[in-house]
Amino acid sequence: VIWGVLQFPGSCDERDALHACSLLGEARLVWHEERDLSGIEAIVIPGGFSYGDYLRAGAIARFSPAMGAVAEFAAAGGPVLGICNGFQVLCEAKLLPGALLLNEDQRFLCRQVDLIPENAFAAETTPERGSSSKRETISVPVKHGEGRYWAPDSVLDAIEAGGQVAYRYAPGQNPNGSARDVAGVSNAGGNVIGLMPHPEHAVDPLTGSTDGLRVFEAMQMVAA
Amino acid sequence: VLAHQGRPHDLGDARHAIGRLVDVEMATDDRADALAQLERMCEQLLANPLIEDFEIQTL
């Protein structure tokens, strides 16, 4: 798969995302002023502070030329993974339901968490799937100030019923007060995924977990 | 959304809100058009209607 990793002024996780994608295929950065995504088969919108996160996290990025192209790419069924600020951008762009609010305790946080895969996409990321040593959770870091997933109860009910909740924080590990422990969601079509935790920071044994790579592998299956 | 800025704190009966005030100067005599533009700015950028309310006042 040929990957495109968006880069806005203020992005900061695009290098790790690019590295994760490079482990699986070709990858290149897409500058926010670019509109041409030809040849790209999967998009990653990385973490950081796009356009300084002024107004609300992710609010301004949705107006960039690159996001216009991503909206068309997503509408055509192309796989899009938004991580952290990328998740916030996708919510602001209305490509995903809900919003990310300031953490419940109003502090930036950074820690390793366990995620429970909930939907069909996430099930593909379960470690050692098919083997007897199968674990039920994946271990990845979170680091954010505005990561509290929120949507009206009617929307939460609908996305739960529709298999759009991708991951939940493991019991007792919800770090930010997210509604119903939601850590990641997908759109109705299943091709747009948003995650608050950072799979791109968990692809090398050096960082203690390689579970994050499975998220990128699952994106490849969406692209196929 | 109540407590948009974090966990709700009990302030008794006191109404409290944290928000943002945006001053916009527009060079136009067409009040209706200006209000329509402001409405669009609020819905698409200045506020996220899912979690924020907005109110437009003209001077």
Side-chain angles (χ1 to χ4, degrees):
Chain A
V1 168
I2 300 171
W3 301 79
V5 178
L6 263 53
Q7 183 179 28
F8 303 104
S11 293
C12 70
D13 295 328
E14 72 278 8
R15 291 288 157 186
D16 273 20
L18 202 61
H19 172 67
C21 295
S22 309
L23 296 174
L24 300 174
E26 284 178 52
R28 75 168 178 94
L29 288 175
V30 177
W31 182 237
H32 68 126
E33 291 174 330
E34 285 185 51
R35 195 169 249 298
D36 183 8
L37 302 179
S38 52
I40 289 174
E41 297 164 290
I43 290 282
V44 178
I45 309 175
F49 306 85
S50 55
Y51 302 97
D53 272 355
Y54 285 107
L55 280 175
R56 295 175 306 281
I60 298 173
R62 70 175 267 224
F63 296 99
S64 65
M67 275 308 294
V70 167
E72 290 167 20
F73 180 83
V80 178
L81 173 65
I83 303 165
C84 196
N85 192 230
F87 187 9
Q88 295 162 341
V89 171
L90 288 170
C91 287
E92 283 283 341
K94 306 285 182 269
L95 293 175
L96 288 174
L100 283 311
L101 308 183
L102 191 65
N103 295 344
E104 188 174 50
D105 65 4
Q106 307 196 28
R107 293 182 187 175
F108 189 92
L109 62 88
C110 179
R111 70 181 71 144
Q112 196 79 9
V113 293
D114 295 319
L115 302 180
I116 303 172
E118 291 279 341
N119 67 2
F121 169 85
E124 295 296 335
T125 66
T126 305
E128 288 85 54
R129 54 185 178 275
S131 79
S132 56
S133 61
K134 179 175 170 173
R135 278 184 287 135
E136 298 300 327
T137 59
I138 66 171
S139 173
V140 289
V142 283
K143 54 173 177 99
H144 55 246
E146 287 134 315
R148 176 163 55 114
Y149 186 74
W150 184 89
D153 278 329
S154 58
V155 172
L156 291 169
D157 291 343
I159 64 174
E160 283 182 339
Q164 287 180 244
V165 173
Y167 294 93
R168 287 185 218 266
Y169 298 105
Q173 294 193 36
N174 183 342
N176 51 33
S178 287
R180 303 189 192 179
D181 297 333
V182 170
V185 301
S186 74
N187 66 346
N191 62 306
V192 179
I193 316 277
L195 298 178
M196 214 54 220
H198 288 267
E200 82 282 18
H201 295 330
V203 300
D204 190 301
L206 185 70
T207 55
S209 167
T210 57
D211 292 350
L213 193 58
R214 295 172 190 281
V215 174
F216 290 86
E217 288 172 344
M219 287 304 293
Q220 284 188 312
M221 295 170 71
V222 175
Chain B
V1 176
L2 187 67
H4 178 192
Q5 302 287 337
R7 186 200 295 271
H9 292 278
D10 184 11
L11 295 185
D13 291 332
R15 181 188 177 275
H16 64 292
I18 296 172
R20 173 187 298 129
L21 177 69
V22 182
D23 282 332
V24 182
E25 281 183 33
M26 302 175 84
T28 175
D29 291 329
D30 189 339
R31 186 182 169 84
D33 179 60
L35 283 172
Q37 284 190 49
L38 285 167
E39 185 89 13
R40 219 166 56 238
M41 286 181 207
C42 288
E43 278 174 0
Q44 294 185 5
L45 175 66
L46 297 178
N48 180 342
L50 184 66
I51 52 172
E52 296 169 316
D53 297 325
F54 64 85
E55 186 183 317
I56 297 169
Q57 293 181 349
T58 54
L59 299 176

